[in-house]
Every structure is written in structure tokens, then in C-alpha cells.
Amino acid sequence: MFALFWDHGIIRKAIENEKIVASTLNIRDFAEDRHQVTDDRPYGGGSGMVMKPEPLAAAIRAAEQEAPSAHKVLLTPQGRVFNQKIAQELASCEDLVLVCGRYEGVDERITSELIDDEISIGDYVLTGGELAAMVIIDSVTRQLPGTLGGADAAEKDSFADDLLEHAHYTRPQVFEGEAVPDILLSGHHEEIENWRLESALMRTLMKRADLLQKKDLSEKEIKILEKWSQNIKDIINSHHKKSKADT
Ligand code: 4FV
């Protein structure tokens, strides 16, 4: 699964430009028995299989050989739920070892003895941790300076300042009868920045008001929200006036 992942897009360029050095260790290669078994039945009975501690511990220790100061993460639904802030945190780590489970999960002694951090990419169950590891590698790699086109591209990310991104437009100027907002064609950079801030605030208010609840709003953002709330109050007041007039 990773062979293809390493060989595409931003990730491949980051490897070519040595922004990241990436490798995979196959846990089965660390199983010493003839059939290289990496899973077994759960103690206490029940369905499914559990990943055996021995091959997994050997694989993690081999990874530590390559990266002694690595931050060791187990991908699991038990983990703290991944977000942009954790992506920025992991991007400041020297090295990362991402442990991808399969079956019902890994023997608990691996987590207690060898894992620094448990991370989940969301409250749903996958067949393996690999896709979760790829999500983390992708979002962390693009945080690294110079991996994205524009120098400041990552700073302008969604969630970078707890706001969803503003609306984006490109050519053609009119698509199926819908035109690009004139302000974006005006060349007035400050006005364009104001429009983009209002667009980001409105989209966040409409789609993820929870983000605004926990955000430290700037003076400028407060002013915009106050303007909107005043507009809404005016609409409600004029409505009440009208309905009174009608009665
Ligand atoms: C998962 C998640 C996840 C659990 C059992 C793999 C599966 C199987 N990992 N975020 N959600 N893992 O569902 O990270 O071994």
C-alpha cells in the first residue's frame, strides 16, 4: 500500500527533495517461526485475532535503531482524534514511527511498553492502520517548509487559524452562467483580503460554528460578526414592525 503512496504528488516530491526520508518495515519479517505468524486468538475467547507482541516489538525496536529519538505512534480508534494542531505538533518531531495494526488490534503490552502516543483519525473502524498512517504522513509532510508550492501555503490552510478556507475561484470568469465575484477581479488586495476573511468567517459560521466557539477572535473578526448580528437584528425588527402594521 505504501509503495504507491510514496510514489505520488507532494509526498514523492518531498522524498526527492529530502524533506522527508520514508521507509516501511514489514512486521511479518520479524516473526521468527517458520510460517511468520503475526496474529493469534485472543485470551478470554471471542471473535477475531490479535497481533502478537513479539514480531511487533522486534519491528518497533528495529525502527528505533534507525531513528532513536522517534516519536512512536500507534494508529488506533483508542487514540486522541487527529486534527491540524496535532499535524503541526508532529511536524516538529525529529522522527516518527507509525505503527499500523491489523485484525482486532495489537497486544496491549505493545501499547504500554513501546508506544509514546495513540492517535485516531476518526470515530470509525478501519481494517488496518495503514490508511490512517498515510493520512498523518500526508498532512504532516505538507506542514514542512518548502513541500507545498507557495512558501506560506500551509499557513493559509483551513483550521490554521480555526477558520475554514474562503471560497476559491479560477478561470473561466463565468461558468454555466455563474460569474466570479467582481471584488476578486478588482486588484484591490486589501479589499480582496477583507472579502476572503468575510467568506471564511461566513463559511465557518454556517458549516462549523463549533470552531468559532473555541477560536480567539480578532478585533476585525469581532467587528464583522457584530455587523452581521446587527443586520440580522434589523431584519427581525423590521419584520416585527411590518407584522404589527399589518395587524
Ligand atoms: C483506526 C482509526 C482504526 C482498528 C482495528 C485497525 C483499526 C484494526 N486507526 N484511526 N479509526 N484502526 O480504525 O486510526 O486493526
Side-chain angles (χ1 to χ4, degrees), residues 64-138:
E64 281 182 308
Q65 291 299 315
E66 286 180 51
S69 63
H71 181 64
K72 299 186 290 297
V73 176
L74 173 64
L75 288 306
T76 168
Q78 311 263 331
R80 55 184 176 144
V81 178
F82 190 59
N83 59 29
Q84 195 71 1
K85 275 197 182 30
I86 297 176
Q88 286 154 352
E89 175 201 317
L90 296 179
S92 63
C93 289
E94 186 63 28
D95 299 305
L96 290 175
V97 169
L98 302 174
V99 180
C100 306
R102 279 268 152 182
Y103 317 107
E104 295 310 306
V106 306
D107 184 287
E108 189 60 24
R109 292 162 289 186
I110 291 293
T111 310
S112 53
E113 302 306 317
L114 291 163
I115 295 296
D116 303 317
D117 195 0
E118 293 177 271
I119 296 181
S120 168
I121 61 167
D123 297 342
Y124 40 81
V125 182
L126 305 170
T127 61
E130 292 82 1
L131 291 175
M134 291 177 190
V135 165
I136 290 187
I137 295 166
D138 186 288

Side-chain angles (χ1 to χ4, degrees), residues 221-238:
E221 290 161 346
I222 295 273
K223 274 205 173 28
I224 294 168
L225 292 170
E226 280 170 345
K227 178 183 72 179
W228 291 343
S229 79
Q230 191 53 53
N231 294 354
I232 293 165
K233 284 196 190 89
D234 297 349
I235 292 163
I236 293 165
N237 294 343
S238 56

Side-chain angles (χ1 to χ4, degrees), residues 22-231:
S23 60
T24 52
L25 289 176
N26 187 336
I27 298 158
R28 207 173 284 290
D29 297 344
F30 296 85
E32 279 151 8
D33 65 298
R34 202 151 49 80
H35 302 295
Q36 294 189 301
V37 172
T38 59
D39 63 309
D40 200 346
R41 286 176 293 105
Y43 275 119
S47 64
M49 300 293 270
V50 176
M51 292 196 81
K52 290 171 62 62
E54 307 95 325
L56 205 36
I60 294 170
R61 291 187 173 118
E64 281 182 308
Q65 291 299 315
E66 286 180 51
S69 63
H71 181 64
K72 299 186 290 297
V73 176
L74 173 64
L75 288 306
T76 168
Q78 311 263 331
R80 55 184 176 144
V81 178
F82 190 59
N83 59 29
Q84 195 71 1
K85 275 197 182 30
I86 297 176
Q88 286 154 352
E89 175 201 317
L90 296 179
S92 63
C93 289
E94 186 63 28
D95 299 305
L96 290 175
V97 169
L98 302 174
V99 180
C100 306
R102 279 268 152 182
Y103 317 107
E104 295 310 306
V106 306
D107 184 287
E108 189 60 24
R109 292 162 289 186
I110 291 293
T111 310
S112 53
E113 302 306 317
L114 291 163
I115 295 296
D116 303 317
D117 195 0
E118 293 177 271
I119 296 181
S120 168
I121 61 167
D123 297 342
Y124 40 81
V125 182
L126 305 170
T127 61
E130 292 82 1
L131 291 175
M134 291 177 190
V135 165
I136 290 187
I137 295 166
D138 186 288
S139 59
V140 168
T141 299
R142 61 186 301 291
Q143 291 297 318
L144 303 175
T147 55
L148 291 182
D152 65 347
E155 274 114 53
K156 291 187 176 310
D157 266 346
S158 284
F159 310 107
D161 52 2
D162 284 325
L163 280 182
L164 300 182
E165 274 190 24
H166 54 73
H168 294 284
Y169 295 88
T170 187
R171 287 179 293 189
Q173 196 175 324
V174 179
F175 173 68
E176 295 183 356
E178 189 182 348
V180 169
D182 291 339
I183 186 71
L184 297 179
L185 313 170
S186 69
H188 295 305
H189 295 299
E190 196 187 340
E191 285 181 23
I192 289 170
E193 277 319 302
N194 291 343
W195 180 89
R196 284 179 167 168
L197 177 56
E198 293 214 9
S199 169
L201 264 176
M202 177 57 77
R203 291 152 79 84
T204 309
L205 183 62
M206 290 300 133
K207 301 176 180 181
R208 291 292 308 280
D210 60 299
L211 290 174
L212 288 183
Q213 300 286 357
K214 62 178 185 199
K215 178 181 171 31
D216 317 337
L217 293 164
S218 68
E219 277 316 302
K220 209 170 176 182
E221 290 161 346
I222 295 273
K223 274 205 173 28
I224 294 168
L225 292 170
E226 280 170 345
K227 178 183 72 179
W228 291 343
S229 79
Q230 191 53 53
N231 294 354

